[in-house]
Amino acid sequence: MVMFGMLFAMAQAGNNPLTKLYIENRGQVKDENGRNVNCALFYNSGHNTQLIVTTTGYTIVYRQTAFSGTVYNKIEFELNGASINKDNVVFITSKAADINCYHGDQKQEGIKSTSTVLIRNIYPGIDWVWSFDATGKPKHEFMVNLGANANQVK
């Protein structure tokens, strides 16, 4: 197996333990108009930054607050030809507790959270792993299993 990946220089908030977790999306991720982002599989939130892993790749949203209001900047990364679906997402067991969210009359209980997420077979024989480096920054790697072609990752 061969692994290669990328490290993110996201602004993480101090010692907040949630900044070193990936959290399952069960309706918490909204767009700028307050609508559910159904393609969002899981996310990680830093101080002014949110990383969202989707069914097409991942998105980084950076929030800037100024006197004139709040501005959101978004960068989307798409993995061409990848098959990323919710059924292949595995939240690796960790010591992190499940999360409960309550908003008005809506409640979501038992939301999975972990420091490592595996998405199986995004390309034939290639898995996608999300974790954190030693300093707590999000990172992702592609696990190329025996017999798979790493050139599929685009």
Side-chain angles (χ1 to χ4, degrees), residues 27-117:
Q28 315 89 288
V29 178
K30 309 280 187 197
D31 68 11
E32 59 273 7
N33 297 311
R35 295 182 302 245
N36 286 347
V37 179
N38 295 323
C39 67
L41 300 172
F42 58 91
Y43 65 96
N44 168 264
S45 293
H47 179 63
N48 289 319
T49 309
Q50 190 171 45
L51 167 70
I52 305 164
V53 178
T54 69
T55 56
T56 58
Y58 62 93
T59 301
I60 297 172
V61 179
Y62 181 72
R63 184 184 74 226
Q64 290 178 294
T65 305
F67 291 112
S68 58
T70 302
V71 175
Y72 292 90
N73 299 293
K74 178 168 71 170
I75 303 171
E76 295 181 340
F77 298 89
E78 184 175 322
L79 295 176
N80 293 330
S83 176
I84 307 168
N85 64 65
K86 188 174 188 167
D87 294 335
N88 290 352
V89 176
V90 178
F91 288 82
I92 306 300
T93 304
S94 74
K95 296 178 183 177
D98 286 350
I99 296 171
N100 300 324
C101 293
Y102 304 97
H103 188 272
D105 63 347
Q106 297 178 350
K107 69 176 183 177
Q108 299 155 339
E109 298 179 325
I111 297 170
K112 296 176 187 150
S113 66
T114 185
S115 59
T116 305
V117 178

Side-chain angles (χ1 to χ4, degrees), residues 13-21 44:
N15 292 323
N16 182 348
L18 290 179
T19 62
K20 295 179 186 163
L21 290 176
N44 168 264

